[in-house]
Every structure is written in structure tokens, then in C-alpha cells.
């Protein structure tokens, strides 16, 4: 019953927009990655908003961080800004 009910609910649910606000790059993915992926697969629009670019950091560089968040955004299928 649950699977049928869940499937029927998601088929009739209109596409919505979700905003995930995170203090640093990768916090949104680590805390909400599974949910983001599920929402995108259900046809919703998800936007990640990082409150900073992650600098200064003891490891990496701004360019490395940008490559990482660009790859994560592509994998999850969402949009991003910081």
C-alpha cells in the first residue's frame, strides 16, 4: 500500500522550487544530498545557495573548490550560486 500510495502522490504533485541554504560549499550536499537528488528526480527545481565560497581553507584553493562544487551540482542536477 505504501509504495502505491507514494507513487500516486508523487505523480500528481506539481513541480515545485526548493532552496537549500548552506554556510559553506559542500555543507548542502553533505546534509541534504539524498533529498536534493530525490527532489530533482521527482521533477522539482532545486537551487543550492552557499553563503560563502569556502575560503580561507587549510586545504585546496578557490579553483579547486569551484571545480568540486561544479561537479557536485552537475551530479545532483540542481542549480547553485554563492
Amino acid at each position: 500500500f505504501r509504495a502505491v500510495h507514494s507513487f500516486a502522490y508523487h505523480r500528481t504533485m506539481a513541480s515545485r522550487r526548493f532552496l537549500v541554504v548552506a554556510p559553506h560549499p559542500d555543507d548542502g550536499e553533505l546534509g541534504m544530498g539524498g533529498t536534493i537528488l530525490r527532489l530533482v528526480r521527482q521533477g522539482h527545481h532545486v537551487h543550492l545557495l552557499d553563503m560563502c565560497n569556502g575560503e580561507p581553507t587549510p586545504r585546496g584553493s578557490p579553483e579547486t573548490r569551484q571545480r568540486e562544487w561544479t561537479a557536485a551540482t552537475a551530479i545532483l542536477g540542481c542549480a547553485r550560486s554563492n
Side-chain angles (χ1 to χ4, degrees), residues 45-65:
H45 176 78
V46 179
H47 190 98
L48 278 164
L49 174 61
D50 300 318
M51 300 308 293
C52 72
N53 68 357
E55 294 300 321
T57 182
R59 295 185 185 95
S61 65
E63 295 79 21
T64 300
R65 286 244 188 241

Side-chain angles (χ1 to χ4, degrees), residues 16 18-22 26-50 72-80:
R16 296 183 183 225
F18 292 88
L19 176 64
V20 177
V21 180
D26 85 4
D27 290 349
E29 294 91 326
L30 291 172
M32 297 286 297
T35 301
I36 292 168
L37 190 57
R38 185 175 189 175
L39 289 169
V40 169
R41 286 182 177 172
Q42 291 174 350
H44 303 292
H45 176 78
V46 179
H47 190 98
L48 278 164
L49 174 61
D50 300 318
T73 301
I75 290 167
L76 292 173
C78 61
R80 169 181 241 119

